[in-house]
Amino acid sequence: MKDESLIMQAEEARERGRPRAGRLTGVLTVDVDAAGVTRENETEDVVWHELVNAQRTRKILSGSLSGIERLDGGWVVAVVYYKGQRILIPMEEMMINL
């Protein structure tokens, strides 16, 4: 009896240390270098996955500012290239007043 209660207490303590299944604890990422990406479509998918993960985890990425454009709807955006992908960032998000 005593041994069973000690085992149950140890299991409860172990369970308390684990994250709950309902809570998001992170984003699954595949190591691209180990996978050996070969096709262009796969490379684009990997970069897109990286961009989505960065947005979800609020990771800061850096890229080259290519220019500033005004879209048809009147929006002014900064054009940034990140690993060959064209990214449009609203100027309000960059906290720049033109």
Side-chain angles (χ1 to χ4, degrees):
M1 280 301 252
K2 205 175 205 182
D3 291 335
E4 290 178 14
S5 65
L6 288 175
I7 292 171
M8 289 178 65
Q9 288 176 357
E11 288 177 0
E12 289 174 3
R14 202 174 324 133
E15 288 294 324
R16 278 182 278 182
R18 293 183 186 165
R20 292 184 181 170
R23 189 180 338 154
L24 293 176
T25 57
V27 178
L28 174 64
T29 303
V30 177
D31 186 9
V32 179
D33 296 330
V37 175
T38 55
R39 294 188 319 208
E40 183 176 331
N41 290 351
E42 290 176 356
T43 305
E44 290 176 2
D45 290 343
V46 169
V47 173
W48 182 252
H49 178 74
E50 185 178 343
L51 289 168
V52 171
N53 281 344
Q55 190 266 337
R56 287 181 182 163
T57 59
R58 299 186 179 272
K59 178 181 175 186
I60 297 174
L61 300 175
S62 60
S64 301
L65 178 64
S66 176
I68 298 174
E69 296 180 5
R70 183 177 303 274
L71 302 178
D72 292 338
W75 286 68
V76 179
V77 296
V79 179
V80 177
Y81 282 91
Y82 179 79
K83 294 186 177 182
Q85 299 295 317
R86 186 171 189 251
I87 312 296
L88 302 178
I89 304 172
M91 293 303 285
E92 294 86 18
E93 295 291 326
M94 297 188 68
M95 297 182 200
I96 297 174
N97 294 327
L98 295 177

